[in-house]
Each structure stands twice: as C-alpha cells, then as structure tokens.
Amino acid sequence: MEGTAGGRWTSLVAVQSLAPEQVYTLRLAALFGLAAAVGGGGLALAGWFVAGRAVRPVGRAMDEQQRFLSAASHELRTPLAVIRANAGAALHRPDQAQTYLSVIDGEAQRMGALVDELLLLSAGASARARLRPERLEPDTFLLDFAEGMEPLAREKGRELRVCLPREAPPPVQADGYRLRQLLTILLDNALRFAPAGSAVELRLTEKGRRVRFWVTDHGPGVPDRDKQRIFRRFARGHEAEDGARHYGLGLTVAAELAALHSGRLWVEDAPGGGAAFCLELPAGR
C-alpha cells in the first residue's frame, strides 16, 4: 500500500504465510492421487476378474480339446499297431496269411468306426444342421431295426426279444439313419456285456408325450458311480464278454445323437440285474 505522509511517500507491505494453503493443496493432491490409485486398482482388478471369467471357459475348452486330440491319437495308434503287426506276420508266414488278414480286416473296420465317431464328436452342434428328420412310427421302426440286427445277435449267441406296448405310441421326428446308428451302439454294447445264451430286450414305452426306447441286457450292469461317467469320451467300464478292444466313444456318440434330437439318454439297473439303457425322444407334432 502506498500513500503520502507530510509530503513524503510511504509504503506498507502486508505479508501472510502460505504454508497452510500449501499443506492443504498437498493433502488434496495426495487425496486425489490416492483416489486415482484406488480407482485404477479397482478397475484393473475388475478387468482382471471379468477377463478371467471370460477366458476361463475358453481355456477349459482348449484343454479339453487337447485331451481329446491326445486320447484320439492314442486310440488310433492301437489298431494301426495291430494292423502293422499282422501285416508283417502275414508276410513272414504266408501259410497263415488268411488268419492275419482276418484280424487286419476286423481292426480296419473298428478304426473306420472310430474315425466316424471322432468326426461326429468334433462336428458338435453343426451336426444338428445335417440331420434329416422325418416322421417315424416308433413301433414299426423298432421292429425293422430288430429284424436287421437279429443275425448279429444270433452270431454272438444271444437272443433278441422285442416288447411293444398294446397301444401304438405317437410318432417321432427323427433322422432314421442317425436313430438306427444310436440304437446300434446301445445294442452292440448290450450284446458285448450280456452273458452267452442270455436275451437282450428291445422295449418301447411312452411317458408324457415322450417316447422311450429301451435296450436291456442281463450282464454285470453299471455301478452307480459309473452311470454318468460312461457317457464321457474314452470312458471304459467292465471288460466285455467277448474280450474285444473298445475305444470308449460309442456311448458318447449315442448321447450326442440323443441331444441332437432334443432327447435324453441314461442307464438304469435292469430288473433282475443288468443294465437298461433308455433313449427318450419327444413325440412329433
């Protein structure tokens, strides 16, 4: 401040300490910095959590796919090794070539079936688009199926019985080829585990507008702990009666085919012992 006093100029300077404001400013800056750090950390944590949840299913799918490829490679290696061994034996022992060629043919057929199963499983949901659904009468279809499979059952020393309800069940919308493939897997499984000379039963029932196809054998059955596991890829249960090699994909393929038809597949204990596999399909409109 400036003024005059007795004809002379004087100056007055007022000084105030800024220390409190500086302290306040520093505290405010520290508070904003802390808030930014906490907010950034929270956003980073939330991003990590969300990303982890989004990526985790992909990781599981990739791990499962890797296990599937590894198991598939192992399973394909087995019949190839048998084929090579028997081919070599046939070259060195031509007098028994017919026996070795018969083994080679059997292994080639099994490997072909395995490849078909692998292709179906790898197709996943896209296989649904390739279904050719048609209106099927379940009782007629089951009788035709049993007639075609009777020679196989007789060759294996088992009896094939068909049990139909008194009243015809409603029709179903299904791909006839795929439905036959599914029932063939179930019947083949039953024929493998049914004791020699016993009967395998094909039965048809209806419950709540849903048609049920039953394939029942009186073999060792399926323990409760395995009733879900046997439908997983490459799962194996009891050793079959025929002692043949099994690749653990048949029931997985059957379950996949059931799902493609909007149906269900499960196994129960058969009355008197054994396994009763049930395929349930929705009745057609």
Side-chain angles (χ1 to χ4, degrees), residues 43-264:
L43 287 174
L45 183 61
W48 175 82
F49 178 74
V50 172
R53 294 201 52 167
V55 172
R56 197 174 300 124
V58 177
R60 283 199 299 265
M62 292 181 66
D63 290 341
E64 183 176 347
Q65 185 72 9
Q66 185 60 40
R67 289 194 299 270
F68 175 69
L69 291 174
S70 177
S73 300
H74 174 76
E75 297 292 351
L76 286 170
R77 193 179 298 116
T78 302
L80 282 173
V82 175
I83 289 173
R84 292 185 61 185
N86 281 271
L91 290 174
H92 291 90
R93 303 189 64 178
D95 57 316
Q96 297 186 18
Q98 189 61 41
T99 300
Y100 297 126
L101 289 175
S102 177
V103 175
I104 290 173
D105 180 65
E107 289 298 321
Q109 291 183 25
R110 291 191 183 96
M111 189 166 64
L114 174 61
V115 171
D116 289 342
E117 292 169 347
L118 290 172
L119 289 173
L120 177 64
L121 291 176
S122 65
S126 63
R128 187 185 300 274
R130 296 197 294 272
L131 290 180
R132 295 183 174 85
E134 56 183 314
R135 181 185 175 92
L136 298 175
E137 301 294 336
D139 49 358
T140 303
F141 182 87
L142 192 62
L143 286 172
D144 291 341
F145 173 76
E147 183 179 359
M149 300 301 290
E150 175 65 31
L152 176 63
R154 189 166 53 250
E155 177 185 331
K156 292 181 175 292
R158 276 74 169 174
E159 180 185 355
L160 196 58
R161 296 177 183 171
V162 181
C163 181
L164 300 177
R166 292 185 177 180
E167 295 186 6
V172 296
Q173 287 288 105
D175 185 317
Y177 172 78
R178 291 302 188 183
L179 182 56
R180 180 176 292 273
Q181 180 185 8
L182 197 166
L183 291 177
T184 299
I185 292 172
L186 299 182
L187 181 59
D188 180 68
N189 186 75
L191 292 174
R192 291 180 189 279
F193 291 96
S198 65
V200 173
E201 300 156 7
L202 301 177
R203 187 161 50 97
L204 199 60
T205 62
E206 178 190 357
K207 184 173 182 179
R209 293 291 298 172
R210 298 184 73 85
V211 179
R212 293 179 173 181
F213 296 83
W214 296 85
V215 180
T216 304
D217 68 75
H218 297 286
V222 180
D224 290 340
R225 66 178 181 276
D226 292 336
K227 282 184 169 61
Q228 296 295 327
R229 187 183 66 84
I230 59 173
F231 296 105
R232 299 174 189 165
R233 296 176 181 183
F234 301 103
R236 300 173 188 268
H238 292 287
E239 182 179 352
E241 290 285 330
D242 58 9
R245 298 179 182 86
H246 305 291
Y247 302 116
L249 279 179
L251 291 177
T252 305
V253 171
E256 183 75 14
L257 289 172
L260 290 176
H261 285 85
S262 301
R264 292 195 305 139

Side-chain angles (χ1 to χ4, degrees), residues 1-11:
M1 175 183 293
E2 296 182 354
T4 58
R8 292 180 300 172
W9 284 94
T10 59
S11 298

